[in-house]
Amino acid sequence: MIDPLSVTAVTGVLGAVGSAMAGEAGKWAWESIGNLAQRVTGRQVPAPDGAEEREELARLLVEGARSDPARARALAAWVNGLADAGPAPAVAVPRLLPASTRYFTDRKGPLAELDREAGRKADGRPRQALLHGPDGIGTSAVAIHWGAREAHRFPSGQLYADLRAAGPQGAVDPATVLRRFLRKLGVPADQVPPTVEGRAERFAELLAGRRLLVVLDHARSAAQVRPLLTAAPGVLTVVTARRPLAGLDALNVAVGPLADKDARRLLTDLAGKHAVGAAKAALPGVLERCAGSPYALRAAAPVLGEAAPSALAGRAFTDPVEAAAADRYARLTPNAALVHRSCALRPWPALDARAAAAAAGLTAAEAAEALDELAAAGLLETALDGRHRQRPAVRRQAEEFAVREDGLAACAAALHRTVDHYLRLAVGADHAALPQRWHLGPLYAEIGPDGHPDEAAALAVLGAELPNLVEAVAAAEESAAPGTVCQLVEALWAVQLKAGRHDELLPALRAGARAAGTPGTEPRTAARMHVQLALALIELQENDEAERQLLRAAAAEEAGGHLRGRATAVETLGLLRLRQWRWDEALDCFERAAGLLDGIGAGDPGQADLPRARALLHRHRGRALRGLGRFESAATSIEEAVAFFRGTGEDYNLARALTDLAQTLIDQRRGPDALPLLDEAAALLERGGATFQQVPLRVLRELSVNEPE
């Protein structure tokens, strides 16, 4: 058992809670610690930023607690409760490595290098290897095959991430990879730290003492990989890239072309002895064109005995991947060729038949048949969910074909149809996932909830399509369509609110804020863009920039005369102030927001939402008053929120308000009165499947039954 009144213990809890504010329990705990700091020190203490400030605050809390038994009991309850609530040791054993290819040829040298790196004596140096070679040469196949062959070395499991991404950046952000890895290692979603630094620290903690393989495929730079590396002696990290990565301190293993004998063997495995024998005369030319590239050899195997298409006559390719892709493209049916070109205009992360149909102007059935043909020809990679993506080099070539064969106008039209497909998909799902909010844009009235069976199903669609939706925003911005950018970002609100994933959303939200500054953008729309970006920045602890965005939102709403939206911007600024433990400023924001709501008349925008908006403000106002030590006023304000949500049947908001009210009563030394409220909140949360507040309820029960006489 830790000593709850030690500076070390309190500092540790402050650090743990500060890095886990992605969930409701984390936010609540952070705010509650701020309330405790206010009471212990007798003054408003700013939220600590960094290790030194956390330690200084811990010292203040411990000193104040040692001079007052009541404060000591409260601090002990918080420290023990929050320490016990930390994530349990992860026991998940991830198996994320993709299946190895059936026909794997040669590569004895690279495999032996990996054997040596994995088996060398632990000497303090991290076990890291970089496999590098040109596109299509098989670096990924080497890493995956070796990992499958040597799985017995890694009883703690295998982690795998494809670091390629859509969009101009062309690489997955390491924060996104770390979030996925932490979830696979057993960390609950609401306990994943919001920053890349916090995630990297948690990742390193979980890997210490494990024997695990990490494969980072298609890396672009050392900077992209560095947060994903660990010094844990039992962990081997294998990185693949097209070239050596400057600044990456790893064993460099070059993967080169297959020798002729190995290339022949692979062709024989793929096409069969009879086909290879029948194509004996053409075989030297095939081997020369393929130049030892496994991708090119696999593309050539199904058409080994066929003459090259006339469309390729006289054309020479220096890259075997491009040569193979051009050969297979020239053999496609017209519909498959059209889909190949139309879908190559952007690096879409995951294509399905509906998106391909929109891009090519075909029916969904025609597009599905074309996608199957493209996958069989090796021009598409197929994921486990059945969706497809284009290899980067193949996509770039197809994009060139599109410009040359279809013309710029047709390309622009195809891209517009694809973006419009994703826009309409997002609007319908967003409407269904969060039907009670007010919406911007005419498409919401036109499309409605679009047939989704329930909110969870609609949210799942948005989550699955999120990478495509972010890419659609980038495409709309590059096409100089700010209105479409804003409508797409508006349609991301439900997934932002309910699923988080703020790091993934950030590029799209920043594009929305840029579009907000475009001449002609309506003030309400501009404000919404700034608010959405601000909320993500708050979750990512970028508070200064979040404040600037909220001030811009309030100014835009004021310019447009929209009181409801202006109140939302001011209210959100108040929530930021709560996060910063600036209780008096938070209270001022909530009072101002309430005044703005009072100015909304009958028939004005947002008038129908006034009762609910006021109830939420009553709860927030009570939280700020509690932080200021004005407990009686806080209880009165929160009771109004409880009465409203009890009447509307909103279990989630009622449970949160009941928890706040119980905490306020405990602050007033009315623990017995708080217990029934905690029991009711627990039942509501259990009924709704929201278990995140078990920690707050447990701590508050401890405080309510152990309050001083």
Side-chain angles (χ1 to χ4, degrees), residues 516-606:
T518 303
T521 301
E522 292 185 359
R524 286 184 63 190
T525 301
R528 184 61 168 229
M529 298 300 98
H530 291 304
V531 168
Q532 281 190 243
L533 175 56
L535 287 168
L537 292 168
I538 291 172
E539 297 301 329
L540 297 171
Q541 300 185 14
E542 299 288 344
N543 293 337
D544 290 343
E545 187 181 355
E547 182 173 345
R548 289 193 294 272
Q549 295 296 331
L550 289 172
L551 293 175
R552 289 171 185 165
E557 295 285 17
E558 185 175 11
H562 183 230
L563 291 176
R564 178 68 184 93
R566 188 178 168 196
T568 297
V570 175
E571 176 187 4
T572 307
L573 182 59
L575 295 175
L576 172 59
R577 295 295 183 241
L578 288 180
R579 183 79 65 91
Q580 297 170 315
W581 302 355
R582 293 159 64 173
W583 316 111
D584 50 356
E585 295 177 47
L587 180 60
D588 179 65
C589 288
F590 299 139
E591 300 284 15
R592 286 163 49 205
L596 290 168
L597 293 182
D598 289 341
I600 298 175
D604 289 344

Side-chain angles (χ1 to χ4, degrees), residues 416-441:
H416 174 78
R417 290 193 300 269
T418 313
V419 171
D420 185 66
H421 159 74
Y422 284 119
L423 171 60
R424 299 180 73 85
L425 179 152
V427 166
D430 180 73
H431 194 300
L434 204 62
Q436 65 268 36
R437 75 177 175 97
W438 50 276
H439 304 93
L440 292 173

Side-chain angles (χ1 to χ4, degrees), residues 297-372:
L297 290 162
R298 290 177 176 278
V303 293
L304 195 58
E306 300 177 14
S310 57
L312 298 179
R315 296 189 62 186
F317 294 90
T318 58
D319 184 283
V321 171
E322 292 183 359
D327 179 86
R328 295 313 305 265
Y329 171 75
R331 301 172 188 272
L332 294 174
T333 62
N335 275 356
L338 177 60
V339 167
H340 186 52
R341 298 192 305 271
S342 302
C343 291
L345 299 171
R346 298 292 303 187
W348 302 108
L351 290 161
D352 60 15
R354 291 187 300 166
L362 300 173
T363 66
E366 291 170 332
E369 185 177 348
L371 290 173
D372 289 342

Side-chain angles (χ1 to χ4, degrees), residues 583-670:
W583 316 111
D584 50 356
E585 295 177 47
L587 180 60
D588 179 65
C589 288
F590 299 139
E591 300 284 15
R592 286 163 49 205
L596 290 168
L597 293 182
D598 289 341
I600 298 175
D604 289 344
Q607 191 271 336
D609 186 47
L610 281 179
R612 187 173 186 273
R614 288 195 175 103
L616 290 170
L617 274 176
H618 283 309
R619 176 180 170 244
H620 299 331
R621 182 175 178 274
R623 293 158 65 191
L625 288 166
R626 188 175 69 234
L628 291 169
R630 296 165 57 182
F631 301 128
E632 187 172 341
S633 297
T636 300
S637 187
I638 298 171
E639 283 169 351
E640 294 198 41
V642 168
F644 175 83
F645 290 122
R646 200 187 294 282
T648 62
E650 291 187 54
D651 289 355
Y652 173 69
N653 278 318
L654 176 58
R656 294 202 300 177
L658 287 167
T659 303
D660 289 327
L661 181 57
Q663 185 173 354
T664 306
L665 295 177
I666 292 167
D667 290 336
Q668 294 177 286
R669 309 289 178 86
R670 296 170 57 189

